[in-house]
Amino acid sequence: MGRLSPTGRILFSRTGSWAGKGSIMTFLPQWLASSLTLISAILVILCALFGVAILVMFIVDKTQHKDAIRYNFPVVGRFRYIFTTLGEFFRQYFFAMDREEMPFNRAERVWVEKASKDLSNTRAFGSTKNLTPPGTAIFVNCAFPALDSKHEDSHPLKIGPFAREPYDAPSFFNISGMSFGALSAPAVRALSGGAKMAGCWMNTGEGGLSRYHEEGGADIVFQIGTAKYGVRTADGHLSEDKLLAIAQKPQVKMIEVKLSQGAKPGKGGLLPGEKVTDEIAEVRGIPIGESSISPNRHEEISDVGELLDFIHKVRELTGLPVGFKSVVSSIDWISDLCEEIHRRGLESAPDFITIDSGDGGTGAAPMPLMDNVGLPIRESLPMVVDALSSYNLRDRIRIIASGKLVTPSAVGLALSLGADFVVSARGYLFALGCIQALKCNKNTCPTGITTHNPRLQRGLDPKDKSVRVAGYCSNMRREVEVIAHSCGAADPRDLDRHNVRIVQANGTSIPLVDIFPHPDRAASQLAELKHTLK
C-alpha cells in the first residue's frame, strides 16, 4: 500500500503503483481492477485495428477504378452497399405498413402464422384492408344463409376416372410442388407429417421422391420434371422401370408432368451446386456438387399430340391418374388440346391440369421471367375453365390452381373462378416458419427451410413444424368454408362467379361473371361443330 501524505494524498507505493485521491482503483477488488485494465487494453487494440482497417479500405478504394462511388468517396461509399443489403430487413420490420410488402405483406404472413399455430385470427375495430383499389375481390354475402347446423364439410373429389387406380382426393387445399434439394430434409419431413395429419396431398416437385417425402405417410403426387429427376436414365431420358417402381408405392396417388412453372415459364429449374449433396444427387440421379439445370421443356413433348401420347404412356404404365402443370398465357393451345382429345376420345384426356400463376414462386429464377412472363391466375384460370367447358370437357378434367394463393380470400376466389383444387407452396413455407428473408437461392436460409447447412437446419424441428403445417391446412379449409357459407354455398366448390364482385377503376364493383361470362351453349355447339367439320 502507498503511504499517506500529511494532506491525505496517497503517494507512490513501494511497488510503483499509484492511485490518486478518489481513484476508483483504490477501492476495487484486485480481480475487478485487473479486468478493467484488460478491457481497456482490448478497446485500445480494437480502436487501433479499426483505424488500420479504415486506412486499408481507403487505399483499396483509391487504387481501384471499377467502382466510381468508392473511388470518389472512399470508405464512406461502401455504406451504400451495406444499406442496400440491410434495406430489406428494415423495410420488413420497421418501415413497411402491414399491407405494403411484396411478394407477401405482413398481414398475409401473420394470418398464415396464426393459422398454423391454431391461434385466433379475429380482429378488433375494423379491417385494415383497403377495399377500393381496382381488382379487389369482394364476396357477395347471402341475405339468408343456411344455419350453422346445416353446414357440411367439403367432400372428396375423384380424379382419373379412366385410370386403373382413380384417386378420391379428400382436401380441396393441398401442398404444391417443392423439391427435396430446394428444401432441406427437415422441411420435407415436416411437410410430409403435416400433410398426413391434415389429410391433404403433397407434391414432390421435380426433384424426385426421397425417403423424407414418404416418412410422414401422406398422399403423394409425383412430379416428372423436364430433367426426369428420380426417374431418369444416365442420359436424361425417362426410365420406365424407375417410374414403375415409384408408382407402385402405395402413398403415390397421381403423376404430374411439369411443362412450365409460374416464376420461370420456358426455363428449366436450377439447383446450385452447393446444394447438390450426396443424398440429393442420389435421389435425382445427377453428379454430386454440380449445379443442376433442367431443360426448358420435355424432349418428347413438342405439341399437344405428343403431350397426350406421353400422358397415355405414363398412365398405362403406372395405372395412376396423370395430368400436367403449366403456365397459361394463351388459350389457343388449350383449344387445340381439347380438339385433339375429342378426336382420340375422352379417355385420352389428362386427368387434371395444374395452372400455375405468372406470379408463382421458386427458389431461383431470372428476374425478366419472374417479373414479366405468364398471366396471373386470376386471368388464366377462367380462360382454361371456359375453354374446357366449351368443349364439354370440364367434368372430365379436374382443374388445380396454383400461385400466390395463401389466404382464404385468394383460395375462395380461385374456387369461384372454377378451380376444383388449390395448391400452395409459399403458404406452407410460412407455416414452416419462413420469414421471407429472400435467401432461398443462397443456401443461407435463416430458418433452415431452404438450406443444407446442418447448423441452420437444427433450428427446424419436424415434429413441431408438422403440427403447424397441419394447422395451416385445416384452418384454411375451415375459413374458406366460412366464406362459402356466408355466400350461401354449402360447399366451397359451390362458390361461383356470381358470388364475387370486382372493384373497378372508379371505386365501384361489378359482378365477376360480367368480366368472365360463363360459356353458353352456343359456344359449346360451335366447338362441337368445328370438331365435326374437321
Side-chain angles (χ1 to χ4, degrees):
M1 294 290 295
R3 56 190 179 81
L4 292 175
S5 69
T7 60
R9 289 182 176 275
I10 300 176
L11 302 180
F12 283 100
S13 69
R14 294 177 185 229
T15 60
S17 62
W18 175 86
K21 181 179 180 180
S23 172
I24 193 172
M25 300 295 287
T26 309
F27 305 103
L28 293 178
Q30 183 63 38
W31 66 269
L32 187 53
S34 300
S35 298
L36 290 174
T37 302
L38 178 62
I39 292 172
S40 300
I42 292 174
L43 287 175
V44 171
I45 294 172
L46 289 176
C47 289
L49 291 175
F50 181 74
V52 172
I54 293 293
L55 179 61
V56 170
M57 285 189 289
F58 180 89
I59 295 173
V60 170
D61 289 347
K62 292 301 289 184
T63 54
Q64 60 83 38
H65 294 278
K66 293 183 178 180
D67 191 317
I69 296 294
R70 285 171 51 199
Y71 180 85
N72 292 330
F73 303 95
V75 182
V76 177
R78 293 173 178 260
F79 284 94
R80 174 180 179 272
Y81 306 99
I82 296 174
F83 292 150
T84 298
T85 302
L86 293 178
E88 292 177 359
F89 170 81
F90 284 107
R91 286 191 295 274
Q92 179 173 356
Y93 291 103
F94 298 104
F95 303 132
M97 299 295 288
D98 282 351
R99 298 184 183 272
E100 286 183 344
E101 289 180 89
M102 294 291 285
F104 294 93
N105 61 50
R106 187 182 297 115
E108 293 168 329
R109 300 197 312 272
V110 168
W111 184 88
V112 174
E113 180 182 7
K114 287 188 175 182
S116 69
K117 294 179 179 179
D118 208 19
L119 301 175
S120 173
N121 260 311
T122 58
R123 296 290 181 90
F125 205 72
S127 174
T128 61
K129 182 179 180 179
N130 187 352
L131 300 179
T132 58
T136 300
I138 299 175
F139 289 88
V140 180
N141 65 292
C142 176
F144 307 103
L147 295 173
D148 291 340
S149 59
K150 303 295 184 181
H151 292 165
E152 299 179 1
D153 295 333
S154 58
H155 301 291
L157 191 63
K158 186 183 295 292
I159 305 176
F162 292 96
R164 293 194 298 274
E165 299 179 35
Y167 177 43
D168 290 316
S171 174
F172 65 80
F173 186 63
N174 302 277
I175 302 176
S176 187
M178 291 182 282
S179 302
F180 173 53
L183 298 191
S184 65
V188 176
R189 292 172 61 198
L191 290 171
S192 176
K196 175 63 174 179
M197 285 186 240
C200 70
W201 79 60
M202 72 175 299
N203 190 307
T204 63
E206 66 174 331
L209 178 66
S210 71
R211 59 190 174 96
Y212 307 113
H213 290 99
E214 301 179 69
E215 183 177 299
D219 289 350
I220 292 173
V221 177
F222 180 77
Q223 187 181 94
I224 302 177
T226 57
K228 312 296 193 301
Y229 293 131
V231 290
R232 60 186 272 137
T233 60
D235 56 358
H237 293 95
L238 180 67
S239 169
E240 295 187 7
D241 292 338
K242 291 182 179 179
L243 178 58
L244 183 58
I246 286 177
Q248 289 175 341
K249 295 178 181 291
Q251 286 178 239
V252 178
K253 303 297 184 181
M254 298 196 298
I255 307 292
E256 180 179 78
V257 181
K258 176 185 171 182
L259 301 184
S260 58
Q261 183 176 343
K264 48 190 174 187
K267 183 75 173 178
L270 167 64
L271 186 67
E274 59 267 24
K275 284 190 171 186
V276 184
T277 63
D278 296 4
E279 187 174 28
I280 291 166
E282 181 180 358
V283 170
R284 295 196 176 205
I286 56 177
I288 300 170
E290 295 183 12
S291 295
S292 180
I293 303 176
S294 303
N296 64 320
R297 74 166 174 86
H298 290 272
E299 184 180 16
E300 308 94 328
I301 304 174
S302 60
D303 55 39
V304 295
E306 291 181 347
L307 173 60
L308 293 179
D309 291 340
F310 191 82
I311 288 173
H312 174 75
K313 175 182 178 180
V314 173
R315 186 164 48 216
E316 285 299 302
L317 176 67
T318 64
L320 301 177
V322 181
F324 67 87
K325 175 180 181 177
S326 178
V327 186
V328 177
S329 296
S330 168
I331 207 63
D332 293 341
W333 72 277
I334 297 293
S335 297
D336 293 341
L337 177 69
C338 293
E339 292 178 8
E340 184 65 22
I341 291 170
H342 276 296
R343 277 192 287 269
R344 298 186 181 203
L346 288 180
E347 67 279 3
S348 69
D351 296 306
F352 63 89
I353 298 176
T354 302
I355 308 168
D356 202 8
S357 178
D359 55 7
T362 185
M367 185 177 290
L369 293 181
M370 185 179 288
D371 288 350
N372 305 293
V373 182
L375 284 179
I377 194 73
R378 290 177 62 161
E379 185 173 357
S380 59
L381 175 56
M383 288 169 54
V384 175
V385 170
D386 290 350
L388 296 182
S389 298
S390 296
Y391 284 89
N392 292 325
L393 292 172
R394 182 64 192 87
D395 293 333
R396 167 68 180 90
I397 302 173
R398 301 303 185 193
I399 299 294
I400 304 172
S402 174
K404 213 175 181 182
L405 306 174
V406 305
T407 59
S409 60
V411 173
L413 179 59
L415 295 175
S416 300
L417 287 168
D420 296 305
F421 301 93
V422 172
V423 292
S424 177
R426 286 172 291 178
Y428 283 98
L429 292 184
F430 289 138
L432 287 175
C434 170
I435 61 172
Q436 196 169 277
L438 307 180
K439 306 294 183 185
C440 308
N441 59 332
K442 297 180 180 179
N443 204 31
T444 57
C445 172
T447 59
I449 298 174
T450 61
T451 178
H452 296 287
N453 183 322
R455 181 183 66 81
L456 295 173
Q457 286 184 4
R458 281 194 290 270
L460 198 163
D461 180 4
K463 290 185 179 179
D464 172 68
K465 294 302 188 292
S466 62
V467 175
R468 291 185 54 170
V469 167
Y472 171 56
C473 182
S474 299
N475 281 300
M476 171 66 82
R477 290 193 301 240
R478 190 188 75 245
E479 298 211 8
V480 174
E481 288 170 353
V482 168
I483 292 176
H485 298 157
S486 178
C487 295
D491 185 286
R493 290 195 183 95
D494 293 334
L495 286 169
D496 188 76
R497 299 174 194 181
H498 293 91
N499 297 121
V500 183
R501 296 179 68 91
I502 302 297
V503 177
Q504 303 300 293
N506 62 2
T508 62
S509 64
I510 63 174
L512 179 60
V513 71
D514 289 353
I515 302 174
F516 299 110
H518 288 295
D520 54 23
R521 181 59 185 163
S524 179
Q525 290 174 339
L526 178 61
E528 292 178 1
L529 178 61
K530 287 175 60 180
H531 168 64
T532 303
L533 292 176
K534 287 187 176 183

